Amino acid sequence: QVQLMESGGGLVQPGGSLRLSCAASGSIGSINDMGWYRQAPGKQRELVADITSGGYTNYAESAKGRFTISRDNAKSTVYLQMNSLKPEDTAVYFCYAEVIAMVSGYLGVWGQGTLVTVSS
């Protein structure tokens, strides 16, 4: 009943920038935490950044100073602005949200992922 749709991935050169977006839709009562995870080939999925409903943020050490997470509660959307991208940032990026659905109650919801490739 609740879906997350990511967009904004693509191919970028080292040092470049991308902005990822993730919009929640469906029978949503409220959204608590939202975050971005990534998974590189052969590696486990890892947290990149998350943000609470009140706007408190948390970043992986590798993302600090380069990435910025934000959200628009009116649009049920979370963003990840990525600057100074490095080849090691190459991964599939997944959106995650903790949602209170109108019928189902608490749900942990994942998006389908969007591919970010950083290469010269």
Side-chain angles (χ1 to χ4, degrees):
Q1 194 65 38
V2 178
Q3 295 179 328
L4 301 178
M5 294 296 296
E6 302 103 329
S7 62
L11 175 64
V12 65
Q13 293 184 335
S17 298
L18 286 173
R19 187 183 71 158
L20 306 183
S21 300
C22 172
S25 62
S27 300
I28 300 171
S30 63
I31 304 176
N32 295 328
D33 292 351
M34 303 186 79
W36 290 94
Y37 292 72
R38 67 186 180 189
Q39 189 165 21
K43 300 185 68 177
Q44 293 189 70
R45 190 172 299 184
E46 64 177 355
L47 175 70
V48 179
D50 58 18
I51 183 169
T52 70
S53 60
Y56 294 97
T57 59
N58 179 58
Y59 296 92
E61 191 66 29
S62 62
K64 289 181 179 178
R66 300 188 299 126
F67 294 3
T68 302
I69 189 170
S70 61
R71 64 191 287 170
D72 185 335
N73 291 331
K75 297 181 179 179
S76 298
T77 300
V78 63
Y79 305 93
L80 186 68
Q81 178 66 47
M82 303 187 293
N83 299 325
S84 302
L85 283 162
K86 304 174 180 179
E88 52 262 44
D89 295 317
T90 296
V92 177
Y93 284 70
F94 297 89
C95 179
Y96 176 80
E98 298 174 345
V99 178
I100 307 299
M102 296 296 291
V103 176
S104 302
Y106 175 82
L107 294 173
V109 185
W110 290 93
Q112 82 287 351
T114 185
L115 178 63
V116 172
T117 302
V118 185
S119 177
S120 60

